[in-house]
Amino acid sequence: MSRSQRLLDLLQLLRNHRFPVPGAQLAATLGISLRTLYRDIATLQQQGADIAGEPGMGYVLKPGFTLPPLMFSEEEIEALVLGSRWVASRTDTGLSQSAKSALSKIAAVLPEDLRHSLDSNGLMAAPSANPLIESVDFVAIRRAIRHELTATLTYRDGKDQSSRRVIWPFLLGYFDNLHILGAWCELRGDFRHFRTDRIISLELNTTRYPRRRAALIKQWREQQFPDRPAQ
């Protein structure tokens, strides 16, 4: 186990206790000597952790402390790297660049040994076999979803027929060979799914739709997956 991982485990262990924990108990749980425990506690205190106590009295971490360089375990880093690589290779340009930027920011605050784990991570996300042509402004779509804005959509269906309608975008699904926009359609009075490669134009409106996005997603899930337990 790396020292950074051990410090993270100690921090998490202290978080799980509201009252002082004897040093011997902490050392036994972590599988380290008392001398190593005292050094680790001193290191955390030097980095800003508000740990009260002393040998023979026990230790307690006061609430409200977060130590950015030690926020992630090695497995959490692997999950973040794999997820970021998938987003970078399977989504639109804007989201891909944001994933790479986020990974760089994470790397900047990691201790050296964990940064090495990030750089040498062996989990890969394969590129899509059918790269998508971006025919619509995905930044605008995500902004509409984020701010619960209505949008005016011009869409060409599978029969090559065009229609213009007002929608309430609430969901954007990324699949291997297509992207799907989920929305409430005012024209149909129901949920509809639009392939982004068939969107001719999408214009954001200044008006917010009358329902909250969370409520729309809940109703959509109940309609699409009636046998699934509620989340």
Side-chain angles (χ1 to χ4, degrees), residues 66-102:
T66 300
L67 194 58
L70 300 176
M71 285 172 57
F72 307 113
S73 67
E74 291 181 350
E75 287 196 350
E76 288 171 338
I77 288 175
E78 288 180 341
L80 287 169
V81 170
L82 181 60
S84 296
R85 287 175 176 170
W86 191 95
V87 171
S89 64
R90 298 298 186 94
T91 60
D92 59 90
T93 301
L95 211 54
S96 174
Q97 292 175 346
S98 294
K100 295 174 184 176
S101 174

Coordinates of all heavy atoms in Angstrom, one line a residue, residues 66-102:
T66 N -11.8 18.5 4.3 CA -11.5 17.8 3.1 C -10.1 18.0 2.7 O -9.7 19.2 2.6 CB -12.5 18.2 2.0 OG1 -13.8 17.9 2.4 CG2 -12.2 17.4 0.7
L67 N -9.4 17.0 2.4 CA -8.0 17.2 1.9 C -7.9 16.8 0.4 O -7.9 15.7 0.1 CB -7.1 16.2 2.7 CG -5.6 16.4 2.7 CD1 -5.2 17.8 3.2 CD2 -4.9 15.4 3.5
P68 N -7.9 17.8 -0.5 CA -8.0 17.6 -1.9 C -7.0 16.6 -2.4 O -7.4 15.7 -3.2 CB -7.8 19.0 -2.5 CG -8.2 19.9 -1.5 CD -7.9 19.3 -0.2
P69 N -5.7 16.6 -2.1 CA -4.8 15.7 -2.7 C -5.1 14.2 -2.3 O -4.5 13.3 -2.9 CB -3.4 16.1 -2.1 CG -3.6 17.5 -1.7 CD -5.0 17.6 -1.3
L70 N -5.9 14.0 -1.3 CA -6.2 12.6 -0.9 C -7.6 12.2 -1.0 O -8.1 11.4 -0.3 CB -5.7 12.4 0.6 CG -4.2 12.7 0.8 CD1 -4.0 12.6 2.3 CD2 -3.4 11.7 0.1
M71 N -8.3 12.8 -2.0 CA -9.7 12.6 -2.1 C -10.0 11.2 -2.7 O -11.1 10.6 -2.6 CB -10.4 13.6 -3.0 CG -10.6 15.0 -2.3 SD -11.1 16.2 -3.4 CE -12.6 15.5 -4.1
F72 N -9.1 10.6 -3.5 CA -9.4 9.4 -4.3 C -8.5 8.2 -3.9 O -7.3 8.4 -3.7 CB -9.2 9.7 -5.8 CG -9.9 10.9 -6.2 CD1 -9.3 12.0 -6.7 CD2 -11.3 10.9 -6.3 CE1 -10.0 13.1 -7.1 CE2 -12.0 12.0 -6.7 CZ -11.4 13.1 -7.1
S73 N -9.1 7.1 -3.8 CA -8.3 5.8 -3.7 C -7.8 5.4 -5.1 O -8.2 6.0 -6.1 CB -9.2 4.7 -3.1 OG -10.1 4.3 -4.1
E74 N -6.9 4.4 -5.1 CA -6.4 4.0 -6.4 C -7.5 3.5 -7.3 O -7.5 3.7 -8.5 CB -5.3 3.0 -6.2 CG -4.0 3.5 -5.5 CD -2.9 2.5 -5.4 OE1 -3.2 1.3 -5.6 OE2 -1.8 2.9 -5.0
E75 N -8.4 2.7 -6.8 CA -9.5 2.2 -7.6 C -10.4 3.3 -8.0 O -11.0 3.3 -9.2 CB -10.3 1.2 -6.8 CG -9.6 -0.2 -6.7 CD -10.5 -1.3 -6.3 OE1 -11.7 -1.0 -5.9 OE2 -10.0 -2.5 -6.3
E76 N -10.6 4.4 -7.2 CA -11.4 5.5 -7.6 C -10.7 6.3 -8.8 O -11.4 6.7 -9.7 CB -11.7 6.4 -6.4 CG -12.6 5.9 -5.4 CD -12.7 6.7 -4.2 OE1 -11.7 7.4 -3.9 OE2 -13.7 6.6 -3.4
I77 N -9.4 6.3 -8.7 CA -8.6 7.0 -9.8 C -8.8 6.2 -11.1 O -9.0 6.7 -12.1 CB -7.2 7.1 -9.4 CG1 -7.0 8.2 -8.3 CG2 -6.3 7.4 -10.6 CD1 -5.6 8.3 -7.8
E78 N -8.8 4.8 -11.0 CA -9.0 4.0 -12.2 C -10.3 4.3 -12.8 O -10.5 4.4 -14.0 CB -8.8 2.5 -11.8 CG -7.4 2.1 -11.5 CD -7.2 0.7 -11.1 OE1 -8.3 0.0 -10.8 OE2 -6.1 0.1 -11.2
A79 N -11.3 4.4 -11.9 CA -12.7 4.6 -12.4 C -12.8 6.0 -13.1 O -13.4 6.1 -14.2 CB -13.7 4.5 -11.3
L80 N -12.2 7.0 -12.5 CA -12.2 8.3 -13.1 C -11.4 8.4 -14.4 O -11.9 9.0 -15.4 CB -11.5 9.3 -12.1 CG -12.3 9.7 -10.9 CD1 -11.5 10.5 -9.9 CD2 -13.5 10.6 -11.3
V81 N -10.3 7.7 -14.5 CA -9.5 7.7 -15.7 C -10.3 7.0 -16.8 O -10.4 7.5 -17.9 CB -8.2 7.0 -15.5 CG1 -7.5 6.8 -16.8 CG2 -7.3 7.8 -14.6
L82 N -10.9 5.8 -16.5 CA -11.6 5.0 -17.5 C -12.8 5.8 -18.0 O -13.1 5.9 -19.2 CB -12.0 3.7 -17.0 CG -12.8 2.8 -17.9 CD1 -12.0 2.5 -19.2 CD2 -13.3 1.5 -17.2
G83 N -13.6 6.4 -17.0 CA -14.7 7.2 -17.4 C -14.4 8.4 -18.3 O -15.0 8.7 -19.3
S84 N -13.3 9.1 -17.9 CA -12.8 10.2 -18.7 C -12.4 9.8 -20.1 O -12.7 10.5 -21.0 CB -11.7 11.0 -17.9 OG -12.1 11.5 -16.7
R85 N -11.7 8.7 -20.2 CA -11.2 8.3 -21.5 C -12.4 7.9 -22.3 O -12.4 8.1 -23.6 CB -10.3 7.1 -21.3 CG -8.9 7.5 -20.8 CD -8.0 6.3 -20.5 NE -6.7 6.8 -20.1 CZ -5.7 6.0 -19.6 NH1 -6.0 4.7 -19.5 NH2 -4.5 6.5 -19.3
W86 N -13.5 7.3 -21.7 CA -14.6 6.9 -22.5 C -15.3 8.2 -23.0 O -15.7 8.2 -24.2 CB -15.6 6.1 -21.7 CG -16.7 5.5 -22.4 CD1 -16.8 4.2 -22.9 CD2 -18.0 6.1 -22.9 NE1 -17.9 4.0 -23.6 CE2 -18.7 5.1 -23.6 CE3 -18.5 7.4 -22.7 CZ2 -20.0 5.4 -24.1 CZ3 -19.8 7.6 -23.2 CH2 -20.5 6.7 -23.9
V87 N -15.5 9.1 -22.2 CA -16.1 10.4 -22.6 C -15.3 11.1 -23.7 O -15.8 11.6 -24.6 CB -16.3 11.4 -21.4 CG1 -16.7 12.7 -21.8 CG2 -17.3 10.8 -20.4
A88 N -14.0 11.1 -23.5 CA -13.1 11.7 -24.5 C -13.2 11.1 -25.9 O -13.0 11.7 -26.9 CB -11.7 11.7 -24.0
S89 N -13.5 9.8 -25.9 CA -13.5 9.0 -27.2 C -14.9 8.8 -27.8 O -15.0 8.5 -28.9 CB -12.8 7.7 -27.0 OG -13.5 6.8 -26.1
R90 N -15.9 9.0 -27.0 CA -17.2 8.5 -27.4 C -18.3 9.7 -27.4 O -19.4 9.4 -27.8 CB -17.8 7.4 -26.5 CG -16.9 6.1 -26.6 CD -16.9 5.5 -27.9 NE -16.2 4.2 -27.9 CZ -16.9 3.0 -27.8 NH1 -18.2 3.0 -27.7 NH2 -16.2 1.9 -27.8
T91 N -17.9 10.9 -27.1 CA -18.9 11.9 -27.0 C -18.6 13.1 -28.0 O -17.7 12.9 -28.8 CB -19.1 12.5 -25.6 OG1 -17.8 13.0 -25.1 CG2 -19.5 11.4 -24.6
D92 N -19.2 14.2 -27.8 CA -19.0 15.3 -28.7 C -17.7 16.0 -28.3 O -17.1 15.8 -27.3 CB -20.2 16.3 -28.7 CG -20.5 16.8 -27.3 OD1 -19.9 17.9 -27.0 OD2 -21.3 16.2 -26.6
T93 N -17.3 16.9 -29.2 CA -16.0 17.6 -29.0 C -15.9 18.4 -27.7 O -14.9 18.3 -27.0 CB -15.7 18.6 -30.2 OG1 -15.7 17.8 -31.4 CG2 -14.4 19.3 -30.0
G94 N -17.0 19.2 -27.4 CA -17.0 20.0 -26.2 C -16.8 19.1 -24.9 O -16.0 19.4 -24.0
L95 N -17.6 18.0 -24.8 CA -17.6 17.2 -23.7 C -16.2 16.4 -23.6 O -15.7 16.2 -22.5 CB -18.7 16.2 -23.7 CG -19.3 15.8 -22.3 CD1 -19.7 17.0 -21.5 CD2 -20.5 14.9 -22.5
S96 N -15.7 16.0 -24.8 CA -14.4 15.3 -24.8 C -13.3 16.2 -24.3 O -12.5 15.8 -23.5 CB -14.1 15.0 -26.3 OG -12.8 14.4 -26.4
Q97 N -13.3 17.5 -24.7 CA -12.3 18.4 -24.2 C -12.4 18.6 -22.7 O -11.4 18.8 -22.0 CB -12.3 19.7 -25.0 CG -11.9 19.6 -26.4 CD -12.1 20.9 -27.2 OE1 -12.8 21.8 -26.8 NE2 -11.6 20.9 -28.4
S98 N -13.6 18.7 -22.2 CA -13.9 18.9 -20.8 C -13.4 17.7 -20.0 O -12.9 17.9 -18.9 CB -15.4 19.2 -20.5 OG -15.8 20.4 -21.1
A99 N -13.6 16.5 -20.5 CA -13.1 15.3 -19.8 C -11.6 15.3 -19.7 O -11.0 15.0 -18.6 CB -13.5 14.1 -20.6
K100 N -10.9 15.7 -20.8 CA -9.4 15.8 -20.7 C -9.0 16.9 -19.7 O -8.0 16.7 -19.0 CB -8.9 16.1 -22.1 CG -9.2 14.9 -23.1 CD -8.7 15.3 -24.5 CE -9.1 14.2 -25.5 NZ -8.7 14.7 -26.9
S101 N -9.7 18.0 -19.7 CA -9.3 19.1 -18.8 C -9.5 18.7 -17.4 O -8.7 19.0 -16.5 CB -10.2 20.3 -19.1 OG -10.0 21.3 -18.2
A102 N -10.6 18.0 -17.1 CA -10.9 17.5 -15.7 C -9.8 16.6 -15.2 O -9.4 16.6 -14.1 CB -12.3 16.8 -15.7

